[in-house]
Amino acid sequence: MNRYLHRATILAIFLAPLAAATQTTIPILTAHNALVLHTDASGRLLTSYMGERLADTKDYGQTGASYRNAEDILSSAYTPAGSTSLAEPAIAITHADGNRSLDLRYVSHSTSVEKNNVSLTTITLKDPVYAVEVTLFYKVFANEDVVEQWSRIVNHEKGNIVLDKYASANLCLRAGSYWLRQYHGDWAREMQPEETRLTHGIKTIDTKLGTRADLFGPSVFMVSLDKPAGEDEGSVLYGSVEWSGNFRIDLEVDPNDQLRIIAGINNYASPYVLSPNETFTTPAFVYTFSSTGKGDASRRMHRWARDYKIVDGRGNRLTLLNNWESTYFGFNEDTLRGLIKGAKNLGVDLFLLDDGWFGNKYPRNDDHAGLGDWQENRRKLPNGIKALVKEAQQDGVKFGIWVEPEMVNPRSELYFRHPDWVVKQPAREEKYYRNQLVLDLANPAVQDFVYNIIDSLFIKNPGLAYLKWDCNAVIYNAYSVYLKDRQSQFYVDYVRGLYHVLDRIRAKYPTVPMMLCSGGGGRVDYGALSYFTEYWPSDNTDPLERVFIQWEYSYFYPAIASANHVTNWGHQPLKFRIDVAMMGKLGFDIPVGKLPATDLAFCQGALKLYNEIKPVIWQGDVYRLADPYKADCASILYVDSARSSAVLFNYLVNNRYDAGNKLPVRLKGLDPARQYRVQEVNRYPGAPAGREDGKLYSGDYLMKVGLDPQVHADRSSVVLQLKTIPG
Ligand code: DGJ
């Protein structure tokens, strides 16, 4: 299952007998950080240090002596359950003979270089009594200071074993205090932050929702050491489970005042049976650590995501016009023709046809029917999608389409044809979420069905250029007809089935842009994003709300992946809505034909500007300068890697009397020695420019004194572009 196991060069292999007396030190190093693992006298693998790199590599050997007790069971690098460790386990197994104890001792480790900057350390552990082997993987992205960590469990016993818990990672940090920033939410309220000091005992962040797993909160979190980290100071770890299903993260301040973080798939209702010689590979837990604040940590994460994780992270993205908010389900071919013309008129790259285009016996005219019947509705689209794709092409606009292929409405032909494909309890009343049920992706026949929906859309419509993949329901009444007596594998096999389908799609259509949507950000994680080019942060497109939602997402995900649409939500002027949507990948979801001429001209101009500044927003470094949670205004800056071009967005987020920025905004990330020309861009026709327009400043001045965007009630959003002048 894991794609990272093809190693190019084996650099070193160290072998030690089981339960070695010789102690081994394994430093796992990035450009700035070190994770040091160490075997104790019995060969158990412990974490002896995690933090900034030490100046002298020889010093790592001494970190093993930094325990209070020689055999510090609380520092296990992968805590096994049921033997000498009594701490929260990373792994728990019921053996073939029913025994539930596990002990893991070091056997060997090796490090290989996969490509420049990326290396993989593997550490093999074995139980001295039972034939179970566990390999820990540490994939290091050195320059980005990012590590992906996962494990592989192999059953060498003669009978089946049961994995009762199987975490991806088990970290161990040491500081005076630990501050957790976590997120909760719901539909249209994604990424609500909460920051709190962790007390002794275990704090768990988890989900049991199955498909739309992040609906009430994602797996991304950050932990600051000693005090809550600021944008530019403080030590902070960002972590996330790369898994689009049930996850669980335990954060335990233990009796030795260490912080143990155990993260991976949620073992809730999921004991996993492994047959003899079968292997279980966990998804990765990804993390980065910075001792220079949250801003630095986020920029590291973004670079990693663009270069190694999201599809086409350094590539292009398409601006678009979506029809969802202007038509909902009520459209026909003529309406769509009009919107395609609107897309052309606006100047976007693509028209995206949303929900409602399919179903005949049970037409998709609202959200009660049709899901599962992926044939064009003949009344709405008598000439099919093909005619629309052609129409768009003639207008020089690309065409994209919405699907929700994992789902089924009970009012659909699919539901009657394949009742055994539907996730539901055989003897219980059905319970719906948005009037729908989930298809059983643990079943290979369902995987084929879902793959073929997508494949045939592309085959029948060769010009199809974009896919929006939605997922609007959680899993109630989890039960798979296909899995028979292995029901406890369902949650895991569902996600594996989903990834299997996406693997097949990506093998055939490697770079076609695809939006990851789950009624908003209900499924945004790096497991899913390795198949998608972008995600839909929230159905809440009120730009004021979006400032906050996009702000929090920006800690973990790069702007290029954030699909932001201009809609009619909220009470802000059109300029404000466009300025907020520009802070990512710009799209529109408005009835273009109804726009007054000045608004239309403004949108057209905004798109031209966006095409000029998008490389800086997508590929540049982000600096969060003024925090909307603390100030009247939010200011966020993008600077290109050459430090020659930058874009500063400022938004008023408080409507009280006299609200606005009182002090200049100090920029970051510029070249102090160079001169920057400031231009106020994206001004609404007729609106005067602010006082900074046309000014020339040194980078040094801008970073020490700052500039005044003059944000207040009459200038509620201001965009400033900065460019170095030659010489
Ligand atoms: C939920 C999505 O978030 C919306 O953008 C839209 O695609 C609807 N589903 C369609 O049903």
Side-chain angles (χ1 to χ4, degrees), residues 324 329 354-355 364 402 434 468 470 472 517 519-520 536 539:
W324 177 240
F329 300 94
D354 215 284
D355 196 355
R364 181 77 172 164
W402 176 97
R434 207 198 187 201
K468 174 177 177 182
D470 211 343
N472 284 292
C517 177
W536 182 234
D539 272 358

Side-chain angles (χ1 to χ4, degrees), residues 619-621 639-646 669-671 674 676 724:
Q619 302 298 340
D621 279 333
V639 183
D640 74 349
S641 57
R643 297 193 289 172
S644 57
S645 197
L670 303 179
D671 182 344
R674 286 156 90 186
Y676 291 84
T724 48

Side-chain angles (χ1 to χ4, degrees), residues 547-558:
V547 169
F548 292 85
I549 293 173
Q550 292 172 200
W551 177 275
E552 289 303 328
Y553 271 124
S554 84
Y555 283 114
F556 303 94
Y557 303 106

Side-chain angles (χ1 to χ4, degrees), residues 345 403 446:
N345 204 5
V403 287
V446 178

Side-chain angles (χ1 to χ4, degrees), residues 38-345:
H38 192 92
T39 56
D40 67 10
S42 324
R44 294 193 177 94
L45 189 69
L46 309 175
T47 303
S48 52
Y49 176 73
M50 189 170 175
E52 281 185 86
R53 264 183 94 125
L54 303 182
D56 187 344
T57 45
K58 286 201 295 295
D59 287 347
Y60 293 123
Q62 297 187 48
T63 57
S66 67
Y67 304 107
R68 182 180 293 177
N69 308 313
E71 294 191 2
D72 188 341
I73 52 165
L74 293 172
S75 304
S76 170
Y78 199 66
T79 314
S83 53
T84 56
S85 173
L86 303 178
E88 178 63 33
I91 178 167
I93 288 181
T94 306
H95 297 283
D97 65 2
N99 190 299
R100 304 192 68 181
S101 87
L102 184 69
D103 192 3
L104 293 172
R105 310 286 178 99
Y106 170 83
V107 177
S108 65
H109 77 279
S110 66
T111 297
S112 62
V113 174
E114 290 198 337
K115 49 182 140 167
N116 195 14
N117 189 44
V118 186
S119 62
L120 182 69
T121 295
T122 61
I123 306 172
T124 303
L125 311 170
K126 273 188 181 157
D127 189 314
V129 175
Y130 283 93
V132 169
E133 182 183 288
V134 174
T135 306
L136 307 180
F137 295 85
Y138 300 81
K139 186 169 184 177
V140 170
F141 302 84
N143 294 335
E144 294 75 21
D145 290 300
V146 167
V147 178
E148 284 185 304
Q149 205 175 311
W150 69 94
S151 67
R152 187 181 65 200
I153 303 149
V154 191
N155 174 19
H156 292 302
E157 296 186 24
K158 291 207 170 62
N160 291 351
I161 65 169
V162 181
L163 308 184
D164 299 309
K165 195 170 182 194
Y166 33 91
S168 304
N170 182 170
L171 303 182
C172 195
L173 288 151
R174 293 170 180 180
S177 60
Y178 309 94
W179 298 81
L180 171 68
R181 190 174 182 89
Q182 64 173 109
Y183 297 91
H184 70 101
D186 202 337
W187 179 78
R189 297 201 287 118
E190 288 85 349
M191 295 300 277
Q192 309 286 318
E194 281 173 329
E195 189 147 8
T196 177
R197 183 179 172 159
L198 288 169
T199 53
H200 286 88
I202 298 180
K203 160 86 186 176
T204 298
I205 304 173
D206 78 336
T207 173
K208 304 177 184 77
L209 302 181
T211 32
R212 199 176 173 176
D214 297 349
L215 182 63
F216 301 140
S219 72
V220 289
F221 67 95
M222 50 178 104
V223 173
S224 302
L225 306 185
D226 297 317
K227 61 176 184 184
E231 283 292 322
D232 300 307
E233 45 83 47
S235 296
V236 62
L237 176 125
Y238 282 27
S240 180
V241 184
E242 297 182 24
W243 184 247
S244 312
N246 293 349
F247 61 81
R248 169 174 169 182
I249 300 156
D250 291 318
L251 301 115
E252 177 179 21
V253 181
D254 72 19
N256 286 350
D257 295 345
Q258 303 175 118
L259 176 65
R260 305 175 68 244
I261 301 176
I262 298 175
I265 292 176
N266 197 342
N267 57 336
Y268 159 77
S270 298
Y272 204 96
V273 178
L274 277 195
S275 313
N277 296 319
E278 211 186 334
T279 291
F280 186 98
T281 305
T282 72
F285 173 70
V286 59
Y287 61 90
T288 186
F289 178 81
S290 169
S291 42
T292 48
K294 295 191 287 190
D296 188 32
S298 73
R299 290 185 287 277
R300 292 175 185 185
M301 205 80 174
H302 295 178
R303 279 183 221 124
W304 167 78
R306 285 188 298 243
D307 282 337
Y308 300 104
K309 193 48 63 168
I310 58 177
V311 175
D312 212 13
R314 291 285 178 191
N316 190 30
R317 296 291 185 274
L318 302 170
T319 56
L320 58 82
L321 175 70
N322 191 188
N323 71 310
W324 177 240
E325 306 240 331
S326 39
T327 66
Y328 293 106
F329 300 94
F331 56 81
N332 59 28
E333 204 172 276
D334 282 346
T335 334
L336 298 181
R337 279 215 187 93
L339 286 166
I340 290 170
K341 293 272 178 287
K344 181 190 176 175
N345 204 5

